[in-house]
Structure formats: C-alpha cells, structure tokens
Amino acid sequence: MNQEPQYITYLSVDEMFSVNECQKILNETDLEDPQESFYLVTDLENPTPAQTPKVRYLKKTENNAWIGTRIEELILANNPETYNFDISIVDELHLLEWTENYYFDMHYDIGPGIASTRKISFMVFLNDRKDYTGGELTFHLLQHSSKQKIPDDMGLLLFFSSYKPFKSEPVTNGKRYVLVGWVHGNHFS
C-alpha cells in the first residue's frame, strides 16, 4: 500500500485489479445505457459547472459481487489505522466514462442529502494511460495552497476521505474509465 508522505491525503494499492479483471469490470457494465446526472458537490469558493462524465451503475449480481467485496475488505481492514471513521456500508459502484473535454472541477464528495454520510471515497482506474490524454486527478492541499497530482495506473485503487477537495482535469483525447464509490457511515460529529 502506498501512502503520501508526511500526512495522509490518499492511500493507493497498485494492481488491485489485473488487466483482465479491469476488462471484465468494463464488460459487466452496460456501456450503452449511461445516466446523465451525477451527484457532485461543487463549491470551494466560487463554484463552476463541470462537464460531467457519463455514469453507469454497476448493479451487484452474483457475477460481479467480487468487485465490491475486494474493495470493501481492503478499506475496512485499513480504516482503523488510517482514518478510524465510523463506517458501515459501501454504496453501489458507478462506472464513469470520460470523453474529450469532460472534467470535474474542484469539489468534495461529501455534501448534503445522500452525500452527507460519505466517509471514504474510492476509485479504480480501469484502462491504460495510453488510451487517453489529460484527465489527471489532483488534490488541493489547503496547508500548502498547492495541488498534488495522483497516480492513475490501470488497476490501481485509490481511496481518500470524502471531505478532501479534488478535481479531474479535462480529458483531451480518447476515453478514460474509472470505477467509483463511497463508504458510508454515521454523520461526522
């Protein structure tokens, strides 16, 4: 497991899913039926609209339950040492398809409504960096007024607290596929 030095912004696991498993995840998802809406908490100081990706829900079945189980087991095992959040369930998984000019501006994953119980956000990068350009993920480091670029290798699992501000730069060519989800728990107090 990789951890950013000095303080925890994110944790990552290289090759959490193999190339074949990433392809299997893509095959398990109905790529022909995208949802156009996605609950995104924008803001920081001056919110700007995002050109959001296409979203597909990966409904849990007998054939794909292993995906969420693997992610959940790893996050639950590492939570006591990293965040020590009161967490309970992993939300359903979403596949995001990023095409040219799609991006998320700086935002948080935690917010009002259903997003108010998000504690840990996670992502799995499902295709090779050669398949697209742009789309870099960055965290805003408030302590340093700077941004931190995040690795996005195929099969890598990235997880972080849902109150960390981050953004995804526009994809400039090709398609980028990312599996995302959230671990929920009681509201922060």
Side-chain angles (χ1 to χ4, degrees), residues 55-117:
V55 179
R56 283 124 177 135
Y57 299 99
L58 185 62
K59 299 290 183 191
K60 190 174 184 178
T61 67
E62 269 186 39
N63 291 335
N64 66 20
W66 61 275
I67 302 165
T69 299
R70 187 180 303 175
I71 294 168
E72 183 175 16
E73 286 174 354
L74 185 121
I75 291 174
L76 291 175
N78 285 278
N79 177 55
E81 297 171 5
T82 55
Y83 304 112
N84 200 28
F85 290 159
D86 177 13
I87 56 178
S88 54
I89 62 164
V90 172
D91 202 3
E92 68 182 5
L93 303 175
H94 308 268
L95 178 74
L96 306 184
E97 178 187 342
W98 302 81
T99 56
E100 197 169 321
N101 297 321
Y102 279 50
Y103 68 97
F104 276 148
D105 208 349
M106 194 65 70
H107 69 283
Y108 305 96
D109 277 352
I110 194 170
I114 194 168
S116 68
T117 59

Side-chain angles (χ1 to χ4, degrees), residues 121-139:
S121 302
F122 60 87
M123 302 177 183
V124 177
F125 301 95
L126 295 177
N127 60 327
D128 196 297
R129 198 69 174 98
K130 296 181 292 189
D131 297 340
Y132 62 93
T133 55
E136 292 83 7
L137 184 70
T138 56
F139 282 103

